[in-house]
Amino acid sequence: MRKRIRLTGRKQLARSAVEAKVVEVGGKKLVSMTIADPKAFKKMPDTARVKLRLFENKFSETLEFGTLGAMKTTAEIKSGAFSAPSCQLRVVATNNEQKGLLLGSTDTWTMRTGGDDQDGTASEGILLFQPHEIAPRTWKLDVREDDYPIVYIDKKIPDSRTWVRNDPIFVSCVLPAIIREVFDDILFANAPPEQAWAKDWLGWADTLMPGRAIPWTDGRQQKQVWVNDLLDSFCQRHGVLEMLVGKLKQETIS
């Protein structure tokens, strides 16, 4: 039976309140977590349980780190499906009157299971790239609710970080498709977003089309026109057609 966590009265905890990373020991993946800011938990009882929720691609798992008064430093990740899961720290009451009450939680952040929060991952600021087993596909986009979109690149592709940044075929053919899909998701809401990642994407769009109004309440056709113009601006700014033609001519000569 799934346990319910009540949300009443929770405290917003800063992401910096804890330090967490993935380590591999004896073939097992463990999350190592320590409290970096004890003051953030000062008013919470020692009996409160510390949990870390991982979720990615419809998979989820909750890691238990004991209580604030006797906190464990590591917890094992049982699922092998995670590559770059979104994470959220939760502190939950255990006494009879408040049992199940969520006392505090952080915003979500992304954790790389191949090492710390940076190893093995290419970051383009508003878009993350992560090697993962997704065969037979070469790439797959995951537009997440509370974190930056992530593109999974099949791990059979060598040096995927260089590939996504520099390969003319990826930059000219795949990247515009990714941009379209992300903005289709953002504009679907019909109202300006509250998520920080979506605001950053809109800020990026404004650098390509300064002052261009976003058609929040317009129909699908007007939104498609806006996205098409954005893609044209992106391709022109980065010279993607010239880049691809040059690559193809070079291959023909060789």
Side-chain angles (χ1 to χ4, degrees):
M1 181 177 180
R2 184 176 180 180
K3 295 182 180 179
R4 294 184 177 272
I5 295 179
R6 295 185 288 124
L7 303 179
T8 307
R10 68 171 174 175
K11 177 182 178 181
Q12 183 65 33
L13 299 171
R15 161 69 184 91
S16 58
V18 294
E19 293 180 356
K21 65 179 181 179
V22 175
V23 295
E24 291 198 24
V25 179
K28 296 181 179 180
K29 287 188 176 181
L30 309 175
V31 173
S32 171
M33 188 163 70
T34 56
I35 292 179
D37 182 13
K39 293 180 181 179
F41 305 88
K42 188 175 181 180
K43 295 183 179 180
M44 299 180 186
D46 288 345
T47 56
R49 300 199 67 81
V50 181
K51 303 170 181 281
L52 185 67
R53 181 172 176 251
L54 312 179
F55 47 101
E56 180 181 19
N57 285 339
K58 299 182 181 179
F59 294 97
S60 65
E61 183 175 342
T62 299
L63 307 184
E64 298 276 355
F65 285 87
T67 63
L68 285 175
M71 184 172 162
K72 299 190 299 180
T73 57
T74 61
E76 182 181 352
I77 301 176
K78 299 294 186 181
S79 175
F82 295 124
S83 175
S86 294
C87 306
Q88 184 187 45
L89 176 73
R90 295 182 171 191
V91 181
V92 182
T94 59
N95 61 39
N96 291 331
E97 292 183 2
Q98 291 187 316
K99 189 172 183 180
L101 182 69
L102 183 61
L103 302 178
S105 64
T106 63
D107 289 333
T108 59
W109 77 91
T110 300
M111 181 179 291
R112 327 298 176 207
T113 60
D116 61 27
D117 281 3
Q118 298 300 324
D119 287 349
T121 301
S123 173
E124 297 299 329
I126 60 174
L127 185 64
L128 305 174
F129 296 89
Q130 176 75 13
H132 196 41
E133 187 173 343
I134 57 169
R137 296 173 63 175
T138 55
W139 64 275
K140 178 181 178 182
L141 173 66
D142 183 12
V143 181
R144 298 174 291 179
E145 178 67 24
D146 297 317
D147 207 348
Y148 289 95
I150 187 166
V151 179
Y152 297 103
I153 306 297
D154 191 79
K155 62 183 183 181
K156 296 184 184 69
I157 296 175
D159 197 7
S160 59
R161 285 189 290 181
T162 300
W163 184 59
V164 299
R165 288 189 175 120
N166 302 319
D167 184 81
I169 296 177
F170 187 93
V171 174
S172 62
C173 300
V174 177
L175 204 50
I178 291 171
I179 294 171
R180 176 181 293 280
E181 191 168 338
V182 171
F183 276 102
D184 281 348
D185 187 89
I186 293 174
L187 297 179
F188 178 79
N190 297 322
E194 296 182 359
Q195 303 98 320
W197 73 263
K199 292 179 181 179
D200 286 346
W201 272 79
L202 292 172
W204 173 79
D206 191 58
T207 66
L208 293 174
M209 300 192 302
R212 177 72 177 272
I214 302 172
W216 293 114
T217 58
D218 292 342
R220 178 176 175 81
Q221 184 176 356
Q222 289 87 346
K223 291 179 179 179
Q224 287 181 335
V225 169
W226 187 90
V227 174
N228 285 336
D229 290 346
L230 176 65
L231 293 177
D232 286 346
S233 299
F234 167 79
C235 292
Q236 184 176 17
R237 172 77 63 88
H238 295 282
V240 298
L241 178 58
E242 293 79 5
M243 183 191 309
L244 179 60
V245 171
K247 172 71 172 179
L248 296 176
K249 286 183 177 179
Q250 184 180 19
E251 291 181 350
T252 301
I253 295 172
S254 60

